Amino acid sequence: MKELIKNEILNRMLPILNNSQEKELDSVLDEVLSKYILGETNRDQFSNQEFMQKFLEAKRIEGCSEKTLIYYHNTINRMFETIEKELMQITTEDLRAYLTEYQSVNNLSRVTIDNVRRILSSFFSWLEDEEYLIKSPIRRIHRVKTVNNIKETYSDEELEKMRDSCKEKRDLALIDMLASTGMRVGELVLLNQADIDFNERECKVLGKGNKERIVYFDARTKIHLQEYLKSRNDKSSALFVSLKAPHTRLTISGVEARIRKIGKDLRIGKVHPHKFRRTLATKAIDKGMPIEQLQQLLGHKRIDTTLQYAMVKQSNVKLAHKKYIG
């Protein structure tokens, strides 16, 4: 790579350089390029798969979950299989054509294809930071513009209907816990009884990237959670368990299925655990909670993510306009 770049520069400068100047330029190029380009033997000793594994190892150390790492692996590997070039030979045009074709063939949304672009960008940027590449070929492929649809939240009436319909103390405590803490369903199923501090009405959850944070629940949740735990006669340390013996820890799919059934019986549309999280975020913003505090409560690394969850109601925008402008 270094020799290719150096020879191209020398050939272009040849018409305006004398022999002495040419030798001086040759020396300078050797010195400068050596700082930014690995030697040919070092550069060529890794295959595409080895470069990918090195990237995944770095992400694992940063705290990415195995689920995320599998997604990264599949996305990058699919790109390699389609482009069929050595990593060092992949160009911006190759990646742009790949993304265009991949979106067209699979009829993907803009959001999905931008997620693919984002992962590839992270991979090539890492290669650039580690000095395997001079410049990331995906740098000139910008973020895909998407339409920000306002996602639905639960109304107060819907939440009360779900609570009133619960025949099991566990289900009532489950709904209250999701609604008052805004935690992820993956965080909820990992909770143990020992994680709950009833005096402070708080609990410690393990979020994305194995990062711990404190979330809080209201007085109603405290009462229903205590009643549920008193009704249990199993020895499981898990906070939420299956209703039938051997009372194993509740799984994500188990929570999703239960919540979905409750919504279906009540004829409430699009009922799922994550909607509780979005509902809490929206209410918090509408009531004036500072976005930085909400970011910490939800466990978001970037504040942009928090803003995507918190869709401010149009009626509140109208009231604010009257108050501050009208």
Side-chain angles (χ1 to χ4, degrees), residues 68 129-130 148 154 165 175 205 215 219 248 254 276-277 282 320 322:
T68 299
D129 290 341
E130 294 294 315
N148 290 326
Y154 296 121
S165 71
I175 287 175
V205 299
V215 298
T248 56
F276 289 99
R277 184 170 167 85
T282 303
K322 288 183 177 179

Side-chain angles (χ1 to χ4, degrees), residues 53-66 69 126 209-211:
Q53 289 305 321
K54 286 180 176 294
F55 168 71
L56 296 177
E57 288 169 8
K59 287 298 177 182
R60 182 177 284 109
I61 292 173
E62 290 176 12
C64 288
S65 67
E66 290 303 313
L69 292 174
W126 178 83
N210 293 323
K211 293 180 180 178

Side-chain angles (χ1 to χ4, degrees), residues 38 118 163 172 277 306:
L38 294 176
R118 179 175 49 80
R163 290 188 177 100
L172 180 56
R277 184 170 167 85
T306 311

Side-chain angles (χ1 to χ4, degrees), residues 253-271:
S253 59
V255 175
E256 290 174 339
R258 194 66 173 181
I259 296 297
R260 195 182 304 116
K261 185 179 186 306
I262 291 173
K264 184 178 181 181
D265 292 343
L266 294 172
R267 296 183 180 179
I268 300 174
K270 299 179 181 179
V271 173

Side-chain angles (χ1 to χ4, degrees), residues 186-187 190-191 204-213:
E187 297 167 345
L190 292 177
L191 283 174
K204 185 183 295 183
V205 299
L206 188 64
K208 289 186 176 181
N210 293 323
K211 293 180 180 178
E212 291 185 343
R213 74 178 191 283

Side-chain angles (χ1 to χ4, degrees), residues 67-201:
K67 183 178 179 181
T68 299
L69 292 174
I70 291 172
Y71 184 38
Y72 281 3
H73 174 276
N74 293 340
T75 301
I76 297 168
N77 197 53
R78 190 187 303 116
M79 179 270 296
F80 280 143
E81 290 177 347
T82 303
I83 295 180
E84 295 183 330
K85 280 186 177 183
E86 290 300 316
L87 185 143
M88 298 296 175
Q89 306 303 320
I90 294 176
T91 66
T92 301
E93 289 70 25
D94 292 329
L95 292 169
R96 187 175 284 121
Y98 166 71
L99 290 171
T100 301
E101 182 180 2
Y102 185 56
Q103 180 181 24
S104 176
V105 170
N106 296 281
N107 193 29
L108 301 176
S109 68
R110 291 183 178 182
V111 173
T112 301
I113 201 64
D114 191 58
N115 284 338
V116 174
R117 180 206 60 79
R118 179 175 49 80
I119 291 171
L120 295 180
S121 178
S122 178
F123 174 53
F124 282 105
S125 294
W126 178 83
L127 290 168
E128 183 179 345
D129 290 341
E130 294 294 315
E131 298 185 356
Y132 290 117
L133 289 176
I134 302 174
K135 182 179 179 181
S136 166
I138 205 169
R139 186 185 293 182
R140 290 190 285 119
I141 301 178
H142 302 298
R143 179 180 177 181
V144 180
K145 291 183 179 180
T146 57
V147 177
N148 290 326
N149 295 320
I150 298 179
K151 297 179 180 180
E152 295 180 6
T153 58
Y154 296 121
S155 66
D156 292 339
E157 291 79 6
E158 288 172 336
L159 288 173
E160 288 307 315
K161 283 182 180 179
M162 283 189 275
R163 290 188 177 100
D164 291 343
S165 71
C166 290
K167 298 178 182 179
E168 300 288 345
K169 292 182 178 180
R170 184 205 65 178
D171 294 345
L172 180 56
L174 189 68
I175 287 175
D176 278 340
M177 201 67 172
L178 288 170
S180 65
T181 65
M183 69 174 68
R184 301 177 179 94
V185 64
E187 297 167 345
L188 178 132
V189 298
L190 292 177
L191 283 174
N192 293 321
Q193 297 183 45
D195 296 324
I196 307 299
D197 185 338
F198 284 108
N199 290 328
E200 298 296 329
R201 295 212 308 258

